[in-house]
Each structure stands twice: as structure tokens, then as C-alpha cells.
Amino acid sequence: MDEERGRTGRLTRSDLCTFIATGCLLLAAAAGWSSALLVVLGRVVPGWAVGAVLLLVSLIAMRTAAAPARPETEGAAPRRAALPRCVRGLLAVVAGLGCAVGVLGDLGAEYHILRPTGPHGCTAVVRETSFLLAGSGDVYAVGPSGVAWRPSGSWQADDGYRPIAEGTYELHWGRDDGALLVRGTEVDPVMDGLHGVDCD
């Protein structure tokens, strides 16, 4: 009986890889469909890219978990997986679709890290896109963690105008937060051009 308890109570490599795969799949599905972004070493990493990395890690972990067991663990009683295989497969599909949609939505997008930074290391990061005769932008408030979960403001512009790329904006910081004023031109106006930038 003690021998049986030892076999069933031991965490195997397959168990560990399955748990890692399940956790990464859940995070990948959430990140792939989110509007979050990450700033690492001065580079902007969109949520879909984070999701793609997590999806890759989960696939590697699932492949490792499915590898044949070593002789000393062959007699161990199988553990119940963290999630059934079909659910993990569905999560992988959802995460993959989220990443694909994110890639398509980011075609032609430009990310800008605005300077200077604000109080407590708060940074304004802007994503600008244009499609046909419409331009749009989102500003994110990124704190010291480097993560922004959603934009703090958005705007629209005519004729695909990109005010941040063109330099027609002003960024001002106060004691606790900042304000981004985005301006267009007489020909290409910007709608909703004033946005707060607050990392709290």
C-alpha cells in the first residue's frame, strides 16, 4: 500500500508539462483576444504576440507530456489531466484564432513610445492604424510593470492621417498624470483629440 501511495503521489514530468500547457493555453487565449500590450526593453509587444508565444510554449509542453514515459514511471498510476484533451484542443484553437485576428488587425499598425515619461515611470504608448480613408489611434498608459491592459483613449482621423507619426500632438505631464492632445490639419481633422494618461 505504501508503494502504491508513492506511485500515485509523485508528480511526473508528464503531469508537470500538462499543467504548464493548460496554464499557458488559458493565458494565450486571454492575451490573443485582448487589447493589452507589453513594453520590454523599449519595444512594444502587442497582446496577440504574447498569446502566440504562450501558445507555442503550451504546444511544446503538450508534446513533451505526450512523450513515452521513462521505465521508472511506466508503472505509475495515470493522473487525471488538469483539463480534458478536447478542452485543451479547443483552447488552442481559440488562442490561435485570437492571434490570427490580432495579426490581421495589426497589419500596417505603428506603435510609438512617447517621450518624456511621466510621474512614477508612467509612459504613453500609441498605436496608430489606417484603412482606406480612415485613420485611428489608441493611447495606452504603461506603468513600471510594462503592461497596459486596455487603451485609455482613442481617436479617429480623416484620410488615414496619423497625427503621432506626423508630430501634430502635445504631451503634458502633471504631478500625478498626463494629457495627450492630438491635432489634425484643416484637411484631415482628428475627432476626440484630448486624452488622459493615468497609470493608477
Side-chain angles (χ1 to χ4, degrees), residues 4 14 16 31 34 50 57 61 64 69-70 74-75 82 86 113 128 148 156 163 176 179:
E4 182 179 353
S14 178
L16 181 60
S34 74
V50 175
V57 171
T64 304
R70 288 182 294 182
E74 284 179 350
C86 62
I113 300 176
E128 285 189 305
Q156 301 291 325
D176 299 316

Side-chain angles (χ1 to χ4, degrees), residues 4-20:
E4 182 179 353
R5 185 182 301 124
R7 288 179 176 178
T8 60
R10 185 171 52 187
L11 186 67
T12 66
R13 182 192 67 177
S14 178
D15 296 329
L16 181 60
C17 290
T18 299
F19 284 122
I20 291 173

Side-chain angles (χ1 to χ4, degrees), residues 106-132:
D106 248 9
L107 290 177
E110 294 178 348
Y111 290 87
H112 305 273
I113 300 176
L114 305 187
R115 301 299 182 197
T117 57
H120 314 297
C122 188
T123 304
V125 177
V126 171
R127 175 184 181 271
E128 285 189 305
T129 60
S130 60
F131 181 73
L132 297 178

Side-chain angles (χ1 to χ4, degrees), residues 110-189:
E110 294 178 348
Y111 290 87
H112 305 273
I113 300 176
L114 305 187
R115 301 299 182 197
T117 57
H120 314 297
C122 188
T123 304
V125 177
V126 171
R127 175 184 181 271
E128 285 189 305
T129 60
S130 60
F131 181 73
L132 297 178
L133 298 179
S136 64
D138 302 299
V139 58
Y140 293 79
V142 181
S145 68
V147 178
W149 298 107
R150 62 184 181 279
S152 58
S154 301
W155 62 85
Q156 301 291 325
D158 283 349
D159 296 330
Y161 185 71
R162 301 189 183 202
I164 303 299
E166 296 295 333
T168 55
Y169 70 92
E170 294 178 16
L171 176 62
H172 300 284
W173 293 102
R175 178 175 295 180
D176 299 316
D177 55 13
L180 176 66
L181 176 61
V182 182
R183 296 190 305 270
T185 65
E186 293 182 1
V187 179
D188 302 314

Side-chain angles (χ1 to χ4, degrees), residues 12-106:
T12 66
R13 182 192 67 177
S14 178
D15 296 329
L16 181 60
C17 290
T18 299
F19 284 122
I20 291 173
T22 302
C24 287
L25 278 176
L26 291 170
L27 292 174
W33 288 100
S34 74
S35 56
L37 59 77
L38 179 66
V39 177
V40 180
L41 300 176
R43 300 280 185 175
V44 179
V45 183
W48 62 262
V50 175
V53 171
L54 290 170
L55 179 58
L56 178 61
V57 171
S58 68
L59 293 176
I60 293 173
M62 282 192 288
R63 184 174 180 85
T64 304
R70 288 182 294 182
E72 62 269 19
T73 61
E74 284 179 350
R79 288 174 177 264
R80 179 176 295 180
L83 284 177
R85 183 174 297 178
C86 62
V87 176
R88 292 199 302 273
L90 180 61
L91 277 175
V93 171
V94 170
L97 285 176
C99 295
V101 170
V103 169
L104 292 176
D106 248 9

